[in-house]
Amino acid sequence: HEDEILNGEQKDNLMAQDEVELFIEYDEVLSLLSSLSKEDVGNNNQVGIDDNNNETSKSRTGDAALARLRIIFDKYLECPTLLDPHLEIISSKLCSEAKKTIHLLFGEYCSNGEKPASLASSTNNDVDNANDTDNSKNDMGILESELQSKIDHVSYLKRLLSALYALCKVRGCKNVQKFLPHEASDLEPVMRALRHMNDTRNQSKKPFQSLGAGAYTWESEYSLLLWLGMLSLVPFDLNTIDSSITSVILSENDEKHNKEVTLVNAIQTIAKFYLKDPGPTRDMAASCLASLLSRPDLEDTDLQNFVTWSNSILEGYLRSVQPKTKKASSSNLNTTNNYTVFEAMGVLQTLANIFKTGSRSILIDRHLKCVEVLWDKAILLAEWISPNAGKKNSKSSNGGGVAGTSLMRKLLVKLFARVGCSYMPPRVASWRYMRGRRSLVENLAMSGASKSLDNERKGFSLTHVQVNDMKQQTEFVHKESSLKQNTVDAEIPQPLDSSNKKFDIDDSKIFHVPDQVEDSMAQLIQSLCDPATIVRWSSAKGIGRVTERLPSICADDVLDAILEMFRDREKDNSWHGACLALAELARRGLLLPKRLDEVVPVVVSATQYDVRRGQHSIGAHVRDAACYTCWAFARAYAPSVLGKYIPQVGESIVLASLFDREINCRRAASASLQECVGRQGSDNFRNGISILTKADYYSLGNREDSYTSIAREIAKYEEYRLPIISHVAEIKLFNWDIEIRILASKSIFNLVSLDPKHFAHNVLPVLLEKCTNESLEVRHGAIVGVAELILSLSIYESSTQSSRLMSDETSLTISEMVQLIEKKRLYRGRGGEIMRAAISRLIETFSLAKIPLTVKQQVRLLDSLDANLKHPKENIQIAASNALHALMRSYFPVGAKGPSDRLQKRVVSKYIDIITRSVNPAETRGYTLALGKLPEKLLAPNKTVLDSVINCLVRAANPKIIVGDEADAETRRNAIQALISVCKTVGLEKPTSSSITPKSIYPTVLMNNTNIQCVFKCLCSAMNDYNTDRRGDVGSWSRIAAMHGLESLVYVLIDASPGIPQPYVISGKSMNNEISIVIPPYSDRLQFYEMDAEIRVKQAFINNTPFRVEEKEQASLNNLTYFNDEMCIKILGALFKQLSEKLDAVRLQAGLIVERLLLSRNFRLPFVPDRRTLLDALDAGYEDNSTQRDKNWAMPSFTFPMMVKVMCIDYFFEEILSGIIISVGCLTESVTKFASSNLLVYLRELKSSKDVFQIKKISNGLITLFEKHQKNGRVIIPLLKTFDKILSRGCFDDLFADKNDTFVKGLITCLKKEAFNCKDVHRLIMIISLSIGLLHEKNSLPVQDEIWRFIMKLLTHRYPKIRRLTSENLYVKLLEDTSYLSQDVDVDSVVSLLSTVMWDQDLDHPYNVRESRNVLAKLLGISLSEKELKGPEKQIRKTQVVDEYASY
């Protein structure tokens, strides 16, 4: 027993530790709370980063500490209960400090009752007033120090109260309020503090902005009102703790009343002021007023006065609103005369809170007339602000009611419900259904419904044990209440909902229901149709609370009214509100089992509620509420009661969880199903646990998986198979959303194998009849359903080798379906594009199913596909090409002599001619796709046809090809894809085989090395496709397609090269231990060949035999025909270049392809240079890649460090460098940041290690890139940016010191060529910056002179902006450094000349900028030619006088 106790203590300690760990910032919060009192000092706040990349504070004070607290608390908004173990400590620490500060500032007042001058001067304006009244300098200094101290304390108090509000925002005000101090001595100081905050707000021009950097005044007011509401419940007469605060509360405007203001009146006055606020302070003021007015010593007088004041506010608001409706004025909607919408909402919220916490006897018995007057105003206000009020009172209305808001309607609903409850006795209806004891374990374990009868209550009768328990509870309540009546505190009222509850067993008592209850119920039922969800939800809860106190006959009337709302299917709000109301009635036991026959069918219908509205549908909220209602039924009723409805309810929620369009509805249905399985037991829900494990919360998040895989798994159970099939085939297949129809057809494809006969005999004939329906949704769904169904039936028949399930009549109908649809012209009009894609899929599926067709039908189908191939929509072209792939392989047979000339001209020749000559981009796109889908019998009947196909596609894939008037990216991409498809379809010649395939009955040829080289060159050319249009870098589509094409080509080439040895995998446990035979790179093989030749020659001399290569070895060398070193290096280099460039999508695809090529377990890529170095640089495993982490190649932070390492390999240096240069100069910040930082880090490492060779290699590579891409802005602009970054950081300083290096000379030469006749101002600006940056003290004199001559030329550039920017940059350069100038140069004169001349004016007269440039060159000692000094000669255009009348 002691061990068990110890184990229990250990468990408690572990749980406590877990709770502490869940709130990981607890220690930081405590330190931040201690730092709120300190003011910020400059910018000395240190910020760090933790392990989770979150910002942490090492030393924060004042407002910075408050801001950090808000960030920490906001992290727990989604799971605030994690703060509960520490809530008391945090709240107590905040409140204790706030209490001390409040008592320090507001606890003591002057003897005459006036506010001290120090407190009155806590703002800047008051400080000025205090300074004006005091003429003594010494006294003023003392006063200023005291004022500063007060200001600091007020700021500290505001930060504490703001932190308290941040805690309330996360955890809720009710949970925080119970930890607030509630001593009687705190009441007046808190009241004074609130008054001071109110004065601060009134004096501020922007009351809702923070004073300082972090604390908001309204947050302090919120916390003080929360505190004041707690203090107003002190168990003492407030008059006994009321001090003389009259002069403090009264302002100058209030002195005319000549009436003493008490503490209670002061609290009411300031709380009423905050009822006008639009923010959270209004809610807290209402709560504070309700707590105050619910006191027994205030309910007689003050409550009556407040109800009268509230009546006047509502009456005035109604008077000000009613005329506005006729004028339809919306400019002053929120402010009407002196009554605002917010004040009316504050009054309603206060009244609702009073009726929630106040005493029912005092509210009803003593103030009945006030309540009745208020009741009439509330009903009148509800009528005016109802959503239908605008339609009744105005011809033009937006449907939102008259000055009404959803929040005001919600408050009115709360008020109606609570007032209605207050008119009824505080009793729980004895007629309600009581389920009794509930146990999930028993429900899951019991085998029969008989066991549930022992523990569950059925119908209206109570068991003997339950009656005794109820009587004992009643006796205990009576005893407890009698004891309370003898105490002093018995006067404190109990809440309306929980006080004096009687458990009446006898239902024979029929009592009178007041008319006000009937009015409240009418308003609540009407609010179930409100457009706002919050109003409907509040109304449903109110109906449940009021119905609990009604007789059973009245409750039946309520239920009838709710069921009446289900009649009109177009009113979705009514359905939603009614479902919520039914759920509330069921949860409270107010929906009796005898009425379930009427209710369950309606709820089941609501789970599939979907009403079409224009181009969308509504009903997701209704289906969600219906699932909640089913959830409530499962919890409310015993298995014996709900058992007969379980099949109906179970089917509906299973179907909703699988096939609902919205993810939240599927998950809601899954939760409802889980509750039903758990509460109703295994007898009612067969296979319930198995279904829940398959259709859980996460798996149902993917809609496609729900329709395909999960639906098939659940359909394996017989009780759900037919409902699922019927639902998919009859409802979802004809849904308004095309995506749902496509998913339904896929679901049918997966379901056919479970019951093929049912689909063939029952479902397929019905769908065929609907293929020509007038409704687009119906006929499209039927066509895609038929397409997937016949394909699945064909697969089932071939796999099981069973007899044909479709009759000949059905096959004939399917074969004529396309012709019938075209005859009815269903392609035309709205939805024609959808129908074309569906028909293409139908042709594809019955071609795969090999439905018998005549030759005439085959040709007509081919004509239909040709029409779809040239459609502008890409999805139609793809569907038509896929259908062509199946049609040409299943039909159009070819004899031993090959295809006929007619067929060849009809297909291949026609497609090639259109691709070559057409000016319509849609045609070239579609037919290039189609050419790649043709079978080998048409592509390669002879060498001439195969060459023509390849040449046609190679031409179409050329980046410079023009279709019509402009380049077409889609045609190029499709041509690349078609090329690879042709290579896979036709195949390659192997050295050991002939060029003709012997297996087929018709002759075909294979591709040879010439064709492969042609394809390879085409793909390499496509890797340099950087064409752009208005859509951006459309050339990336071709590059991505070319990358995938190169990958596929590698597989094809290696498979066709038997001379390349491949690894084999040992079976069993040693699966990862691969015996790899990889061909080494060329350099290693060359060394081996030299050594082998030397050994063989020596052996030949020794043996006196001739030296020659053996025949077997020569044959082995000849086998290596397709794939070699050069091809491998080019492919990897092209991939690495794309992996280093700026587009994330391109980098992602390139990285995945490289990873597959280098780490494939099926083959080893041969001829990889420096394989080990390459794999290490890519952070890839060599033998076992199963342990490698997932790589996100699209992330720049992951990719560029690897690429810089791979750049060290000479074979890929140029490609990777060019790719990184493009990334450094791109516009994407993240790509530029990581590309440039990694390149600069690498250059700094080379500089620190004094690796001049690598630095020269990179510099020469940049110059080569510059020369290669001269005048190409796509490369030159990023290259200039890269040069600027490298030179500005001194990475190439060693090159300036090397007199033999030609880097600077080569760069300035490239800059001159680039600037010549350049019209791109952006490029010229970067050239200016770079050329001036080349001025270096270590430059040789000829190079330095050449740089100066180029700068002087830029000073006389034809663009004024370029001249001005050149002078400005040179001026800044001279101010920073003059070490590169000779000693005899007068720097001051040069700088003065650069700053005084207006370089952006005319070169010649009158400003003579050229002469100023010549003077500058003379000062710098730069010799210019005569032509450069005078400038280009002006060409005088001779104007020829033309006689306009000469023609006459």
Side-chain angles (χ1 to χ4, degrees):
H1 183 67
E2 292 178 356
D3 294 338
E4 293 178 357
I5 294 176
L6 291 176
N7 292 334
E9 293 177 353
Q10 292 176 358
K11 290 180 180 179
D12 294 339
N13 294 333
L14 290 175
M15 291 177 63
Q17 292 177 2
D18 292 339
E19 290 175 350
V20 172
E21 291 176 359
L22 290 175
F23 186 30
I24 57 177
E25 297 93 349
Y26 175 64
D27 295 332
E28 184 185 357
V29 167
L30 294 181
S31 64
L32 289 172
L33 293 179
S34 303
S35 303
L36 289 175
S37 60
K38 303 175 184 177
E39 295 294 332
D40 298 333
V41 182
N43 295 321
N44 296 330
N45 293 330
Q46 300 178 359
V47 180
I49 302 295
D50 60 7
D51 296 335
N52 297 325
N53 293 327
N54 296 322
E55 184 179 317
T56 60
S57 60
K58 293 183 179 179
S59 60
R60 294 177 182 269
T61 57
D63 291 335
L66 176 61
R68 177 60 185 163
L69 278 173
R70 287 172 176 160
I71 293 174
I72 293 174
F73 288 151
D74 288 348
K75 285 173 59 178
Y76 295 90
L77 280 171
E78 294 185 359
C79 192
T81 54
L82 297 177
L83 301 177
D84 287 350
H86 319 284
L87 190 61
E88 183 176 2
I89 298 175
I90 298 173
S91 302
S92 301
K93 190 168 184 178
L94 283 171
C95 295
S96 61
E97 293 297 323
K99 179 179 177 181
K100 292 178 184 178
T101 309
I102 287 176
H103 278 276
L104 178 64
L105 292 171
F106 309 100
E108 296 180 359
Y109 272 66
C110 300
S111 58
N112 58 358
E114 294 182 356
K115 189 183 300 185
S118 61
L119 182 61
S121 305
S122 59
T123 61
N124 295 332
N125 296 330
D126 294 335
V127 171
D128 295 336
N129 295 332
N131 292 337
D132 293 338
T133 57
D134 198 341
N135 296 323
S136 175
K137 295 182 179 180
N138 295 331
D139 293 342
M140 186 172 63
I142 296 173
L143 180 60
E144 285 181 353
S145 63
E146 292 180 356
L147 290 177
Q148 186 61 42
S149 176
K150 292 291 184 181
I151 292 173
D152 293 342
H153 282 91
V154 170
S155 300
Y156 176 44
L157 176 61
K158 289 180 179 179
R159 286 193 288 270
L160 290 171
L161 296 175
S162 295
L164 190 63
Y165 167 77
L167 192 61
C168 293
K169 182 180 71 170
V170 176
R171 194 59 194 96
C173 59
K174 293 181 181 178
N175 292 291
V176 177
Q177 189 178 33
K178 58 186 178 182
F179 298 117
L180 297 178
H182 47 274
E183 298 179 5
S185 59
D186 300 332
L187 181 57
E188 287 189 335
V190 171
M191 175 60 201
R192 294 165 186 158
L194 180 60
R195 186 69 183 184
H196 172 73
M197 297 297 174
N198 189 19
D199 294 340
T200 304
R201 173 205 280 225
N202 295 332
Q203 293 172 2
S204 176
K205 295 181 180 180
K206 297 180 179 180
F208 297 103
Q209 285 190 351
S210 61
L211 301 179
Y216 291 85
T217 304
W218 67 267
E219 294 177 340
S220 303
E221 294 167 342
Y222 179 95
S223 301
L224 289 172
L225 285 169
L226 176 67
W227 198 349
L228 197 61
M230 185 68 179
L231 292 172
S232 62
L233 296 176
V234 293
F236 304 104
D237 190 352
L238 295 182
N239 293 325
T240 60
I241 59 175
D242 187 6
S243 62
S244 178
I245 61 169
T246 304
S247 59
V248 178
I249 303 301
L250 285 176
S251 60
E252 295 179 358
N253 296 331
D254 295 329
E255 291 179 357
K256 61 183 180 180
H257 294 288
N258 294 324
K259 182 180 179 181
E260 183 179 358
V261 179
T262 63
L263 177 62
V264 175
N265 291 336
I267 296 175
Q268 291 186 47
T269 301
I270 196 168
K272 288 179 182 178
F273 172 80
Y274 285 108
L275 290 180
K276 303 176 183 179
D277 274 6
T281 49
R282 183 186 69 245
D283 303 336
M284 201 45 58
S287 177
C288 177
L289 269 176
S291 300
L292 180 68
L293 297 176
S294 298
R295 292 175 56 89
D297 54 345
L298 299 180
E299 286 184 334
D300 289 336
T301 57
D302 293 271
L303 178 59
Q304 185 174 359
N305 294 334
F306 178 79
V307 171
T308 305
W309 176 80
S310 302
N311 185 35
S312 64
I313 293 296
L314 296 179
E315 185 176 0
Y317 178 71
L318 280 172
R319 285 199 307 269
S320 59
V321 165
Q322 289 176 1
K324 296 288 182 180
T325 60
K326 297 179 181 179
K327 300 179 181 180
S329 175
S330 60
S331 59
N332 297 323
L333 192 61
N334 291 337
T335 304
T336 52
N337 296 337
N338 295 327
Y339 303 97
T340 64
V341 174
F342 302 114
E343 187 175 14
M345 287 193 292
V347 167
L348 292 175
Q349 191 169 2
T350 306
L351 292 172
N353 290 338
I354 290 174
F355 277 93
K356 180 180 180 181
T357 58
S359 173
R360 173 183 176 272
S361 59
I362 296 177
L363 288 173
I364 299 301
D365 298 341
R366 303 184 187 179
H367 308 294
L368 185 60
K369 293 183 179 180
C370 296
V371 172
E372 290 177 353
V373 172
L374 191 63
W375 184 249
D376 295 337
K377 292 295 184 297
I379 293 179
L380 186 59
L381 180 61
E383 292 177 354
W384 272 101
I385 69 170
S386 64
N388 297 324
K391 298 179 181 180
K392 297 178 181 178
N393 299 282
S394 177
K395 295 181 180 179
S396 61
S397 174
N398 57 1
V402 182
T405 63
S406 58
L407 182 57
M408 180 177 285
R409 298 199 299 272
K410 175 188 174 183
L411 294 173
L412 279 171
V413 167
K414 286 182 176 292
L415 182 62
F416 288 140
R418 289 169 183 173
V419 172
C421 289
S422 64
Y423 273 99
M424 302 295 293
R427 60 189 292 274
V428 177
S430 59
W431 52 266
R432 67 173 183 163
Y433 170 79
M434 299 180 63
R435 176 174 176 177
R437 185 163 171 247
R438 310 179 188 187
S439 174
L440 284 174
V441 177
E442 292 180 1
N443 290 340
L444 295 175
M446 65 183 179
S447 59
S450 58
K451 294 184 179 181
S452 63
L453 296 175
D454 298 334
N455 297 323
E456 306 291 346
R457 181 177 181 271
K458 183 176 180 181
F460 305 97
S461 61
L462 290 172
T463 62
H464 179 68
V465 177
Q466 290 173 336
V467 172
N468 291 336
D469 292 341
M470 298 285 287
K471 289 181 178 179
Q472 291 177 3
Q473 293 176 2
T474 307
E475 292 175 359
F476 176 76
V477 171
H478 283 301
K479 289 180 181 179
E480 188 176 9
S481 61
S482 62
L483 290 175
K484 288 184 178 180
Q485 290 175 359
N486 296 328
T487 60
V488 180
D489 298 333
E491 296 180 0
I492 300 178
Q494 300 296 322
L496 289 175
D497 292 341
S498 59
S499 64
N500 303 325
K501 286 187 178 181
K502 303 290 193 302
F503 293 92
D504 296 333
I505 307 302
D506 188 10
D507 194 32
S508 59
K509 295 181 180 179
I510 302 299
F511 52 89
H512 174 67
V513 178
D515 294 339
Q516 287 81 358
V517 178
E518 185 176 352
D519 294 339
S520 68
M521 184 61 72
Q523 293 293 333
L524 292 175
I525 293 177
Q526 183 179 354
S527 299
L528 286 178
C529 307
D530 194 273
T533 304
I534 57 173
V535 179
R536 297 195 296 270
W537 178 234
S538 182
S539 177
K541 291 188 289 186
I543 288 174
R545 293 191 184 102
V546 176
T547 308
E548 268 186 330
R549 304 186 180 190
L550 292 175
S552 59
I553 188 173
C554 297
D556 283 339
D557 295 338
V558 172
L559 182 59
D560 291 337
I562 294 174
L563 292 177
E564 189 70 22
M565 301 173 69
F566 288 102
R567 291 186 178 276
D568 191 351
R569 194 170 179 82
E570 294 296 325
K571 295 182 179 180
D572 58 297
N573 293 332
S574 300
W575 278 67
H576 181 255
C579 288
L580 293 177
L582 290 177
E584 283 298 312
L585 294 179
R587 285 180 62 246
R588 300 171 185 270
L590 306 176
L591 182 57
L592 299 180
K594 65 180 181 180
R595 302 298 300 271
L596 289 179
D597 291 334
E598 306 173 52
V599 173
V600 170
V602 175
V603 175
V604 169
S605 176
T607 58
Q608 302 298 329
Y609 183 89
D610 194 18
V611 177
R612 181 77 179 272
R613 296 281 175 86
Q615 298 300 319
H616 67 284
S617 72
I618 57 173
H621 58 310
V622 177
R623 300 194 298 272
D624 183 80
C627 294
Y628 169 64
T629 307
C630 295
W631 177 88
F633 287 173
R635 291 179 63 90
Y637 298 102
S640 58
V641 174
L642 202 62
K644 65 178 181 178
Y645 307 104
I646 286 298
Q648 193 176 0
V649 174
E651 288 179 8
S652 64
I653 56 180
V654 166
L655 294 175
S657 65
L658 292 175
F659 302 112
D660 199 282
R661 184 174 180 269
E662 307 299 332
I663 181 175
N664 62 308
C665 295
R666 293 197 301 274
R667 286 176 168 172
S670 176
S672 178
L673 178 63
Q674 182 178 356
E675 195 70 22
C676 289
V677 172
R679 299 286 180 182
Q680 300 300 316
S682 58
D683 284 351
N684 287 334
F685 268 94
R686 295 178 56 191
N687 305 309
I689 301 298
S690 301
I691 293 175
L692 288 176
T693 56
K694 294 179 177 64
D696 59 2
Y697 179 87
Y698 296 100
S699 62
L700 293 175
N702 190 322
R703 185 166 62 184
E704 185 171 359
D705 288 347
S706 300
Y707 271 79
T708 55
S709 59
I710 302 176
R712 188 181 189 281
E713 292 297 323
I714 296 179
K716 291 180 180 179
Y717 304 108
E718 294 183 0
E719 58 269 21
Y720 297 107
R721 183 178 302 162
L722 288 180
I724 288 177
I725 293 174
S726 301
H727 184 76
V728 173
E730 297 174 4
I731 297 177
K732 291 302 177 184
L733 202 57
F734 311 120
N735 192 272
W736 64 272
D737 189 356
I738 184 174
E739 294 183 3
I740 298 299
R741 298 198 295 269
I742 298 298
L743 287 176
S745 65
K746 294 180 180 179
S747 181
I748 286 179
F749 178 84
N750 293 327
L751 293 173
V752 167
S753 60
L754 298 178
D755 196 350
K757 293 183 179 179
H758 176 76
F759 277 99
H761 299 154
N762 299 329
V763 178
L764 183 57
V766 176
L767 293 180
L768 288 174
E769 292 178 359
K770 295 182 178 180
C771 286
T772 55
N773 193 281
E774 295 180 357
S775 174
L776 172 63
E777 291 81 7
V778 175
R779 66 172 180 266
H780 176 261
I783 290 172
V784 295
V786 168
E788 302 298 333
L789 198 156
I790 59 178
L791 179 59
S792 184
L793 284 175
S794 174
I795 295 174
Y796 174 79
E797 292 170 357
S798 60
S799 61
T800 59
Q801 297 181 356
S802 60
S803 58
R804 193 170 184 84
L805 295 173
M806 288 187 296
S807 62
D808 295 338
E809 183 180 357
T810 303
S811 301
L812 180 61
T813 304
I814 294 173
S815 62
E816 296 175 350
M817 184 57 64
V818 177
Q819 182 182 358
L820 180 61
I821 290 175
E822 291 178 350
K823 185 178 180 180
K824 291 190 175 183
R825 298 182 179 182
L826 298 180
Y827 286 159
R828 300 183 179 181
R830 186 178 65 89
E833 297 173 352
I834 301 175
M835 289 296 296
R836 287 181 181 274
I839 289 298
S840 298
R841 178 58 179 169
L842 179 62
I843 296 173
E844 178 186 4
T845 54
F846 71 64
S847 297
L848 295 174
K850 296 182 179 180
I851 301 293
L853 296 177
T854 63
V855 176
K856 186 177 180 180
Q857 289 174 336
Q858 296 176 20
V859 175
R860 285 185 176 179
L861 293 179
L862 183 59
D863 293 337
S864 299
L865 294 180
D866 285 348
N868 292 341
L869 282 172
K870 58 185 180 182
H871 196 276
K873 292 293 183 179
E874 184 177 359
N875 63 322
I876 297 177
Q877 292 176 352
I878 294 174
S881 63
N882 293 332
L884 183 67
H885 179 274
L887 181 68
M888 300 307 295
R889 282 164 175 78
S890 299
Y891 307 106
F892 297 99
V894 174
K897 295 181 180 180
S900 62
D901 294 339
R902 182 180 178 184
L903 179 61
Q904 198 70 25
K905 291 179 181 179
R906 173 62 182 78
V907 182
V908 179
S909 300
K910 175 185 176 182
Y911 292 174
I912 293 176
D913 184 65
I914 292 175
I915 294 171
T916 306
R917 299 183 181 182
S918 177
V919 296
N920 183 4
E923 289 186 346
T924 58
R925 295 170 190 173
Y927 286 112
T928 49
L929 275 178
L931 207 56
K933 298 293 184 179
L934 295 178
E936 57 181 353
K937 62 186 179 182
L938 297 180
L939 288 174
N942 52 63
K943 196 64 180 174
T944 304
V945 175
L946 179 60
D947 291 342
S948 63
V949 170
I950 294 177
N951 293 334
C952 174
L953 294 176
V954 167
R955 179 185 176 277
N958 190 345
K960 299 180 180 180
I961 194 66
I962 301 296
V963 179
D965 297 332
E966 57 184 11
D968 188 60
E970 287 86 349
T971 299
R972 300 195 300 272
R973 179 200 59 196
N974 295 348
I976 295 169
Q977 295 173 353
L979 264 178
I980 300 303
S981 179
V982 169
C983 293
K984 293 180 180 179
T985 303
V986 176
L988 276 68
E989 296 179 359
K990 295 185 179 181
T992 57
S993 63
S994 61
S995 61
I996 301 178
T997 56
K999 295 182 180 180
S1000 58
I1001 60 175
Y1002 45 83
T1004 57
V1005 297
L1006 300 174
M1007 297 179 67
N1008 54 23
N1009 198 16
T1010 304
N1011 301 131
I1012 291 300
Q1013 292 301 322
C1014 182
V1015 173
F1016 181 70
K1017 289 179 181 178
C1018 175
L1019 295 179
C1020 292
S1021 175
M1023 293 293 285
N1024 294 317
D1025 186 355
Y1026 291 93
N1027 289 320
T1028 58
D1029 60 9
R1030 63 182 181 277
R1031 296 171 292 182
D1033 186 6
V1034 293
S1036 61
W1037 303 345
S1038 297
R1039 299 200 300 274
I1040 292 175
M1043 286 190 292
H1044 288 285
L1046 288 174
E1047 181 189 10
S1048 302
L1049 187 63
V1050 167
Y1051 299 147
V1052 173
L1053 296 181
I1054 293 179
D1055 182 65
S1057 302
I1060 299 180
Q1062 288 298 314
Y1064 60 91
V1065 181
I1066 302 175
S1067 60
K1069 296 182 179 179
S1070 59
M1071 189 76 176
N1072 295 328
N1073 300 327
E1074 298 180 2
I1075 300 177
S1076 303
I1077 306 174
V1078 182
I1079 292 184
Y1082 177 74
S1083 58
D1084 297 343
R1085 285 186 285 124
L1086 187 60
Q1087 296 177 2
F1088 172 76
Y1089 291 153
E1090 292 176 355
M1091 294 173 58
D1092 183 65
E1094 184 179 355
I1095 294 173
R1096 292 190 180 213
V1097 169
K1098 288 182 180 180
Q1099 191 69 28
F1101 276 110
I1102 294 172
N1103 298 332
N1104 194 18
T1105 57
F1107 172 73
R1108 61 177 178 272
V1109 182
E1110 297 180 2
E1111 295 181 0
K1112 294 182 178 179
E1113 295 178 357
Q1114 184 66 42
S1116 177
L1117 293 175
N1118 291 334
N1119 287 338
L1120 302 176
T1121 54
Y1122 293 117
F1123 198 73
N1124 51 34
D1125 301 68
E1126 183 182 0
M1127 188 175 290
C1128 179
I1129 293 173
K1130 284 185 177 180
I1131 291 174
L1132 289 178
L1135 292 174
F1136 286 142
K1137 180 181 178 182
Q1138 300 302 320
L1139 192 54
S1140 307
E1141 289 198 352
K1142 59 184 179 180
L1143 295 182
D1144 294 345
V1146 177
R1147 284 200 310 277
L1148 177 62
Q1149 298 300 324
L1152 294 175
I1153 293 172
V1154 168
E1155 195 171 1
R1156 287 195 294 267
L1157 288 177
L1158 295 179
L1159 299 177
S1160 175
R1161 301 180 64 85
N1162 297 323
F1163 81 103
R1164 292 289 189 182
L1165 182 65
F1167 309 118
V1168 177
D1170 296 336
R1171 179 185 292 270
R1172 172 59 68 180
T1173 305
L1174 180 59
L1175 293 178
D1176 292 340
L1178 293 176
D1179 193 23
Y1182 188 73
E1183 294 295 338
D1184 184 12
N1185 62 350
S1186 60
T1187 59
Q1188 294 300 310
R1189 57 191 175 94
D1190 294 335
K1191 299 178 176 62
N1192 187 358
W1193 298 97
M1195 290 181 60
S1197 58
F1198 175 80
T1199 306
F1200 286 107
M1202 294 185 179
M1203 288 298 99
V1204 172
K1205 295 178 182 179
V1206 179
M1207 192 170 61
C1208 299
I1209 303 176
D1210 295 338
Y1211 296 98
F1212 314 121
F1213 170 78
E1214 183 179 352
E1215 289 80 3
I1216 295 177
L1217 181 62
S1218 63
I1220 290 179
I1221 295 305
I1222 298 298
S1223 299
V1224 170
C1226 74
L1227 300 178
T1228 306
E1229 183 181 358
S1230 60
V1231 177
T1232 303
K1233 173 183 175 182
F1234 289 105
S1236 59
S1237 62
N1238 284 281
L1239 180 61
L1240 293 174
V1241 167
Y1242 176 64
L1243 290 173
R1244 291 193 191 102
E1245 291 177 354
L1246 294 178
K1247 183 180 179 182
S1248 61
S1249 63
K1250 297 182 179 180
D1251 192 350
V1252 182
F1253 176 76
Q1254 287 293 335
I1255 294 177
K1256 288 184 177 180
K1257 179 181 174 182
I1258 293 176
S1259 64
N1260 294 332
L1262 293 175
I1263 296 297
T1264 304
L1265 197 63
F1266 207 147
E1267 295 172 348
K1268 182 179 179 181
H1269 296 279
Q1270 201 79 49
K1271 300 295 182 179
N1272 186 356
R1274 182 187 65 84
V1275 180
I1276 295 302
I1277 292 178
L1279 185 59
L1280 292 173
K1281 292 181 180 179
T1282 306
F1283 269 122
D1284 189 35
K1285 291 183 179 181
I1286 292 175
L1287 295 177
S1288 62
R1289 287 162 177 80
C1291 297
F1292 283 171
D1293 286 348
D1294 295 338
L1295 301 179
F1296 290 93
D1298 190 356
K1299 304 300 181 181
N1300 297 324
D1301 191 76
T1302 60
F1303 166 70
V1304 181
K1305 185 176 181 180
L1307 181 56
I1308 195 65
T1309 303
C1310 291
L1311 290 176
K1312 286 182 177 180
K1313 293 181 180 179
E1314 190 64 31
F1316 181 72
N1317 285 336
C1318 179
K1319 298 180 180 180
D1320 187 359
V1321 177
H1322 181 53
R1323 200 181 314 176
L1324 289 170
I1325 292 173
M1326 288 187 289
I1327 290 175
I1328 293 170
S1329 176
L1330 186 56
S1331 59
I1332 294 177
L1334 288 176
L1335 293 172
H1336 200 277
E1337 59 180 341
K1338 296 180 181 181
N1339 282 336
S1340 60
L1341 290 178
V1343 173
Q1344 194 84 337
D1345 185 65
E1346 190 173 357
I1347 296 173
W1348 276 117
R1349 291 169 65 88
F1350 179 59
I1351 295 174
M1352 293 299 105
K1353 188 175 182 180
L1354 290 174
L1355 284 173
T1356 56
H1357 197 274
R1358 56 178 174 173
Y1359 292 160
K1361 183 177 181 180
I1362 300 302
R1363 299 196 297 269
R1364 178 173 55 82
L1365 290 176
T1366 304
S1367 64
E1368 291 175 356
N1369 289 353
L1370 184 58
Y1371 176 81
V1372 174
K1373 180 72 174 178
L1374 290 172
L1375 292 180
E1376 293 176 350
D1377 182 21
T1378 59
S1379 59
Y1380 46 85
L1381 296 176
S1382 60
Q1383 296 181 356
D1384 56 347
V1385 174
D1386 188 359
V1387 179
D1388 295 337
S1389 300
V1390 172
V1391 171
S1392 176
L1393 184 62
L1394 285 172
S1395 59
T1396 55
V1397 175
M1398 302 177 65
W1399 296 96
D1400 54 353
Q1401 299 299 328
D1402 293 339
L1403 289 173
D1404 299 317
H1405 184 76
Y1407 292 95
N1408 297 322
V1409 172
R1410 192 184 307 278
E1411 293 182 3
S1412 301
R1413 191 281 312 266
N1414 297 338
V1415 174
L1416 180 65
K1418 186 175 181 181
L1419 290 174
L1420 292 172
I1422 303 170
S1423 60
L1424 300 176
S1425 63
E1426 190 69 21
K1427 183 178 180 180
E1428 291 175 338
L1429 290 173
K1430 294 183 179 180
E1433 296 181 359
K1434 292 185 177 180
Q1435 296 180 358
I1436 301 175
R1437 296 182 179 179
K1438 297 181 179 180
T1439 57
Q1440 183 179 0
V1441 179
V1442 179
D1443 185 8
E1444 60 179 338
Y1445 301 105
S1447 61
Y1448 296 98

